[in-house]
Amino acid sequence: MKEITKVSDDKKWQAVVSCDRNYDGIFFYGVKTTGIFCRPSCKSKTPLRGNVIFFDNAAESIEKGFRSCKRCCPEKIVFEPDLELIKRAKDIFDADYNKQVNLSNVSGQLGISKNHLIRIFKKYTGTTPVQYIAKIRIDEAEKLLSEGDKSIIEVAYESGFKSLSNFYKCFKEHTGYTPNKHRRGDGF
Ligand SMILES: [Zn+2]
């Protein structure tokens, strides 16, 4: 089995509910009551959770007796290796955002070049890996700031920023506020 199929059923269900096209090609879902299977992004009415069964690929769905949906044509998805790579890259970023992330190492782990990683990441997610990581760091910093028991510098380092000036700059860019203002709750 492919490594990527470790996506949890809860995550898959979330993807179905939100019609998330990032998961197209990564899994499929069948609806037991209709006997039809779809790609996660299908815009047809969200089925009841209890009627849904997940498949790793279209062939498996057909084998289990499901027919492909006329609306999203899931059988037409060819396996998209780029999506798998992006998913794995995101898993690494999500786990390591507060460390120094070296894109050359990450792309090396995925068996592709750094430029290729940046290109496909941008193509499918609309952001670069660096922007993606910055977003996770800012979200984390906002959380820590609102908890209120850490100094700004502690928050900066814990959320993965290597310098305070970079933290201020990045924070302001993403939120429109300085970390100090955010803490005081001004403007919210
Ligand atoms: Zn469908």
Side-chain angles (χ1 to χ4, degrees):
M1 277 289 114
K2 297 176 305 221
E3 264 183 67
I4 196 66
T5 54
K6 279 188 219 134
V7 182
S8 71
D9 281 2
D10 279 348
K11 266 202 167 158
K12 287 178 185 170
W13 176 239
Q14 275 316 309
V16 170
V17 172
S18 59
C19 305
D20 191 341
R21 66 179 281 274
N22 286 315
Y23 288 88
D24 280 7
I26 292 179
F27 76 91
F28 297 82
Y29 71 95
V31 182
K32 290 180 211 159
T33 43
T34 59
I36 285 172
F37 76 99
C38 286
R39 52 177 94 193
S41 72
C42 185
K43 296 275 191 261
S44 58
K45 193 165 166 284
T46 306
L48 291 173
R49 175 69 182 88
N51 292 334
V52 166
I53 175 167
F54 297 116
F55 300 111
D56 291 334
N57 53 58
E60 190 191 346
S61 323
I62 293 165
E63 208 174 285
K64 295 272 161 66
F66 286 80
R67 283 171 294 117
S68 64
C69 169
K70 293 258 190 313
R71 191 160 178 188
C72 65
C73 304
E75 81 288 359
K76 288 198 181 136
I77 295 187
V78 281
F79 174 57
E80 295 210 51
D82 283 354
L83 284 176
E84 237 192 271
L85 291 169
I86 288 161
K87 183 74 190 40
R88 284 168 62 198
K90 279 185 174 173
D91 285 346
I92 296 171
F93 298 149
D94 292 346
D96 289 347
Y97 70 90
N98 60 355
K99 302 180 195 127
Q100 187 88 48
V101 179
N102 182 323
L103 286 183
S104 300
N105 284 349
V106 174
S107 56
Q109 281 180 53
L110 300 174
I112 55 177
S113 75
K114 183 177 148 187
N115 285 339
H116 185 63
L117 171 64
I118 294 170
R119 198 167 55 241
I120 60 174
F121 200 93
K122 179 95 207 246
K123 182 179 155 199
Y124 282 95
T125 68
T127 61
T128 65
V130 169
Q131 288 166 329
Y132 179 82
I133 296 163
K135 176 78 173 62
I136 307 176
R137 287 177 177 166
I138 297 294
D139 287 348
E140 179 64 15
E142 283 193 290
K143 203 180 100 216
L144 292 172
L145 285 169
S146 61
E147 285 165 11
D149 50 356
K150 291 198 169 79
S151 70
I152 302 271
I153 192 156
E154 282 172 319
V155 169
Y157 283 96
E158 263 185 51
S159 47
F161 291 92
K162 295 289 161 271
S163 82
L164 208 50
S165 59
N166 188 31
F167 174 56
Y168 271 85
K169 185 171 157 280
C170 216
F171 195 92
K172 185 94 198 275
E173 265 171 27
H174 279 256
T175 66
Y177 303 96
T178 65
N180 313 56
K181 270 209 160 184
H182 182 85
R183 161 152 291 169
R184 288 199 307 268
D186 295 0
F188 279 86

